[in-house]
Amino acid sequence: MQRPEPDEALARRAARGDRTALEILLDRHANRVHAVCRRVVGDPDDALDATPEAMIAIARGVSRVAGRSAFTTWLYRVATNAALDELRRKRRRPRPTNELPDGSPAAGLIDDAVAARLDVDQALAALPVGYRVAVVLRDLGDLDYPAIAEILDLPVGTVRSRIARGRAQLKAALGNLVATPGRPRTDDE
């Protein structure tokens, strides 16, 4: 079985105008880009706005990155910037209410896995943006500290601090959610 072509080789080909190479890169990383956008903006609908913006920026900018740095590091930078841009646009939009048009609260029964994911998303959304981005890149993107520092244009020590503080705030927020009535706490938590 043939090994897939490395991202950097595909990026060089895409930079020379090879549309097939660009499509392979975009297809290969679309889910990762969307995941970063969703976690940074904290809202699935807003992530659907940020993701195509990131993909367009990747397609337009691939010629500038080819051979200069690790493709995935650059890709995370583009996705992060697109998500942060969406957050700025979101602040300028009117906010929807949590009620249905008839005035009844928007509530329903959902399974535990979805509830847990919503809890994590809610806790992430409550973090300051700087902490949220660093935590998402580390824990979702599985990037090392130097790569995150490069993406965010920050010293490594600042990245470490933001991740530690962000994780501590997440732990506290998720601990509070787990301890709420109706959700018994187990010995493992």
Side-chain angles (χ1 to χ4, degrees), residues 1-169:
M1 183 154 77
Q2 188 177 7
R3 294 183 99 177
E5 191 171 0
D7 290 339
E8 283 71 19
L10 287 168
R12 283 191 299 277
R13 285 181 37 213
R16 291 190 304 267
D18 185 334
R19 292 186 66 82
T20 302
L22 179 60
E23 288 175 13
I24 292 169
L25 274 174
L26 294 176
D27 286 345
R28 184 180 288 175
H29 296 287
N31 289 339
R32 186 177 296 168
V33 168
H34 177 73
V36 168
C37 289
R38 189 179 63 76
R39 289 295 172 105
V40 170
V41 299
D43 179 271
D45 292 331
D46 293 335
L48 291 174
D49 292 336
T51 301
E53 293 298 324
M55 298 300 272
I56 290 167
I58 291 164
R60 287 182 178 160
V62 72
S63 63
R64 290 189 302 272
V65 73
R68 293 192 184 133
S69 66
F71 178 79
T72 53
T73 301
W74 175 78
L75 175 119
Y76 277 112
R77 177 182 292 160
V78 172
T80 300
N81 287 339
L84 291 172
D85 288 345
E86 183 59 29
L87 280 175
R88 285 187 278 278
R89 284 189 295 273
K90 182 179 178 178
R91 281 188 218 123
R92 294 187 294 253
R93 287 187 222 135
R95 294 182 184 204
T97 66
N98 286 334
E99 292 190 2
L100 296 174
D102 66 358
S104 62
L109 296 175
I110 52 179
D111 67 8
D112 289 342
V114 172
R117 184 172 176 173
L118 291 173
D119 287 349
V120 171
D121 287 348
Q122 180 183 7
L124 271 171
L127 289 179
V129 174
Y131 294 177
R132 182 182 334 145
V133 171
V135 169
V136 166
L137 291 174
R138 178 68 183 135
D139 294 338
L140 179 71
D142 200 30
L143 295 174
D144 60 19
Y145 293 104
I148 297 168
E150 182 181 336
I151 290 167
L152 299 178
D153 195 26
L154 293 170
V156 173
T158 302
V159 168
R160 287 183 188 280
S161 173
R162 287 183 179 186
I163 291 169
R165 290 177 181 161
R167 284 176 175 166
Q169 287 184 18

